[in-house]
Amino acid sequence: VTVSVLYWSSTSATVTAMATGARNAVVFAEDMYECLELHYPRLRLVEAGFNVHVVGPEAGHTYKSKEGYWAKSTSQVKDVDPSTVAVVVVPGGFCTDRLRRIPEIVDWLKAANDAGAVVGFICHGGWLPISAKIVAGKRVTCFFAIKDDLINAGAEYVADERVVVDGKMVTAQTPEDLPGFMAAILRLAAA
């Protein structure tokens, strides 16, 4: 079993993994995230031995969930090379409406997707991949309130599957789907 210990470096604003061979994963954070949809994937990825970067608009900033729970970012996108990332998770809540307004974050997600990362989004998380223009032609699911946004972006919306896998994209509808969502992400990342 490999245990990743992460150290925050205030001088370099980067996270250093102290585990040999650890692969990088990014979980996005911004105010109004859905608590379970950020922390459950983050912890499952740590448990699986990934070097997990919690990425927000600012490094070292504390973001609050819809429920008031906190997540402290370890990095900004400029601190993480998208070509070195194996997994990206975009949580739901309304954080993705904020994240998609930041061109560097949108461009970074597109670059990570193009480099072959497994990209997972859940609930309202689809807003950021829509803005990154990576959903066209993909079978996806989401919280029903944003299905029209995904359809208008060229995705095929699947209403009757709680978790949908299309290539290296994994999507899910609600926090209830997190176990299947993360199982699919970890399965793809291991391939």
Side-chain angles (χ1 to χ4, degrees), residues 31-45:
D31 286 330
M32 297 299 290
Y33 69 89
E34 171 60 46
C35 191
L36 286 172
E37 294 171 359
L38 186 149
H39 291 292
Y40 183 87
R42 178 182 63 81
L43 293 170
R44 288 293 311 274
L45 289 162

Side-chain angles (χ1 to χ4, degrees), residues 6 15 24-28 51-55 74-75 79-80 85:
L6 303 179
V15 174
N24 288 318
V26 163
V27 178
F28 280 107
N51 173 22
V52 180
H53 302 266
V54 177
V55 172
T74 57
S75 309
D79 301 324
V80 183
V85 174

Side-chain angles (χ1 to χ4, degrees), residues 26-105:
V26 163
V27 178
F28 280 107
E30 172 57 290
D31 286 330
M32 297 299 290
Y33 69 89
E34 171 60 46
C35 191
L36 286 172
E37 294 171 359
L38 186 149
H39 291 292
Y40 183 87
R42 178 182 63 81
L43 293 170
R44 288 293 311 274
L45 289 162
V46 168
E47 183 179 68
F50 283 87
N51 173 22
V52 180
H53 302 266
V54 177
V55 172
E58 299 175 46
H61 184 78
T62 300
Y63 296 98
K64 291 209 174 167
S65 72
K66 296 183 325 180
E67 304 82 10
Y69 197 75
W70 58 271
K72 187 171 184 178
S73 60
T74 57
S75 309
Q76 294 175 283
V77 290
K78 70 178 184 170
D79 301 324
V80 183
D81 179 350
S83 69
T84 68
V85 174
V87 174
V88 180
V89 175
V90 184
F94 301 112
C95 70
T96 53
D97 187 39
R98 294 169 179 254
L99 290 169
R100 69 180 177 166
R101 300 174 195 190
I102 303 168
E104 296 82 8
I105 290 176

Side-chain angles (χ1 to χ4, degrees), residues 175-188:
E176 295 273 321
D177 307 316
L178 281 164
F181 176 70
M182 285 310 299
I185 287 172
L186 292 171
R187 194 168 38 251
L188 284 173

